[in-house]
Amino acid sequence: MTATMPERAPERTGPARTDGDVRRGELAAFLRSRRERITPEQVGLPRGARRRTPGLRREEVAHLSAVGVTWYTWLEQARDIKVSPQVLDAVARALQMDRAERGHLFALAGVTDPVRGSECTGVSPAMRQMLDRLTPFPAAVQNSRFDLLAYNSTYGRLLCDLDALPEEDRNCLWLAFTNEEWRASLVDLDKTLRVMAAKFRASMAGHVAEPPWKAMVARLEAASPEFREIWARQEVVRPVSQSKLFRQRDVGLLRLSSTNLYTGPSQGPKMITYTPDDEATREKLEQLQALTRAAG
C-alpha cells in the first residue's frame, strides 16, 4: 500500500495590519530612536551610576514633555491612542527634534503641526545666486502668505519698483489690492484678485489661529473695501502654474508662464519663475534687464 501524507492544515494568521497599524509602528520606532540618541546631560538630567538605557528613559521623556508616563509608554508601544498636536509639540521639543524630524513626527501621527506656519524666512546664498542666474527671467521666493522673501532684478521691476517699498509692504496680496502701479500691471485685474484671495484662504486653513495671518487679513480689510467684498465670498482654489499677462510700464505687454518650485513642504516657501511664452516677450525681458542695469 502506498502511504499518503496527511493534508497540511492551513497556517493560522492574525488580522491583517491596517495602514493605521503600520503608521503607529513607524511612529513608535521613530520615537524610540530619537529618545535613545539624547543623553541626560543634553536635557539637564543627571546620568546616575546605574543607567543601562541608551539615551533617555521613557519616564524622563514623559517628565520633560509634561505628559503621563503610561500615555507616553503606550505611544512607544504603538497603541491605538488619540494624540493631540499640543502633546506632540511637547514631545518634539523634549526630544530636541529639528524641523525635518518634527515634520516627520507629525506626519506619522497624522496630526497637523500647530506651528507649521512659522516658516523660515531666510533665503540661502545659494538660492539668491539661483535667482540672479535666472535673469532676465523674473523669479522670486515667496512664502504661503504671499510675502516676497527675495527676488531678482527683473522681478523687482516687473510690476512696480519693489526696492522702493518698505519691507512690510512686499507682499503680493497686499500690493494687488493697494498699490496702483502693481494693479495697473495686472491685465485681468478682477480675476487675478479673486484667484489670489481664494489661494490665500486655502493656504490659511492650516494657519487660522496664527497672528501673522490674522494680522494680514485685518490689515487688508481695513485698507481695501474691494478685499472685504471678495473675502466675504469664502472662495478657495488650489495653487497652479499658469500663463499670465502683465503690462510692464517700460516694455509693454508680457506673456509669461509661471512655475512654482517648492523649497520645502507643499504650501510652504517656493521659488516662482516666469518664462516667456513667445519671442516678443523674451526680447522685452532682455530690454527690461538692460533698463534695470542702466538704472542701477
Side-chain angles (χ1 to χ4, degrees), residues 77-279:
Q77 291 176 345
R79 300 279 192 97
D80 188 3
I81 58 175
K82 184 175 178 60
V83 186
S84 73
Q86 293 74 22
V87 169
L88 276 183
D89 174 65
V91 170
R93 294 178 189 276
L95 294 176
Q96 300 182 3
M97 294 186 182
D98 61 23
R99 288 177 60 84
E101 292 166 339
R102 181 188 177 94
H104 187 61
L105 172 71
F106 277 84
L108 288 176
V111 175
T112 300
D113 188 345
V115 298
R116 185 167 58 102
S118 302
E119 300 166 354
C120 175
T121 57
V123 177
S124 68
M127 189 168 293
R128 291 184 183 276
Q129 190 174 39
M130 289 174 62
L131 289 173
D132 291 338
R133 295 291 291 178
L134 284 168
T135 306
F137 296 170
V141 177
Q142 174 187 287
N143 64 16
S144 58
R145 205 169 49 242
F146 285 95
D147 296 322
L148 290 168
L149 309 181
Y151 49 85
N152 63 14
S153 58
T154 315
Y155 188 95
R157 292 191 57 171
L158 181 65
L159 302 173
C160 73
D161 185 357
L162 285 172
D163 291 340
L165 300 176
E167 189 171 340
E168 62 269 20
D169 287 351
R170 295 174 193 171
N171 175 284
C172 294
L173 190 64
W174 172 259
L175 294 170
F177 279 97
T178 66
N179 184 283
E180 290 305 320
E181 186 178 353
W182 187 285
R183 290 165 61 87
S185 300
L186 302 174
V187 173
D188 194 345
L189 179 61
D190 292 340
K191 178 182 177 182
T192 300
L193 294 180
R194 289 186 61 184
V195 169
M196 290 185 71
K199 286 181 179 179
F200 186 84
R201 183 179 288 281
S203 295
M204 191 175 176
H207 311 274
V208 289
E210 295 175 23
W213 290 77
K214 294 192 293 184
M216 174 57 71
V217 172
R219 187 184 184 202
L220 280 162
E221 287 181 327
S224 172
E226 192 174 20
F227 175 80
R228 291 198 300 270
E229 190 274 326
I230 293 175
W231 191 247
R233 299 177 187 177
Q234 297 280 335
E235 294 175 334
V236 294
V237 66
R238 291 179 59 84
V240 294
S241 299
Q242 58 184 317
S243 182
K244 298 184 178 181
L245 287 176
F246 297 122
R247 188 179 294 106
Q248 210 283 329
R249 64 177 182 179
D250 295 316
V251 299
L253 191 66
L254 298 172
R255 300 179 183 274
L256 301 168
S257 288
S258 67
T259 303
N260 297 328
L261 306 173
Y262 286 92
T263 64
S266 183
Q267 306 304 312
K270 61 185 177 183
M271 179 181 290
I272 305 172
T273 62
Y274 289 97
T275 52
D277 285 349
D278 50 46
E279 190 59 32

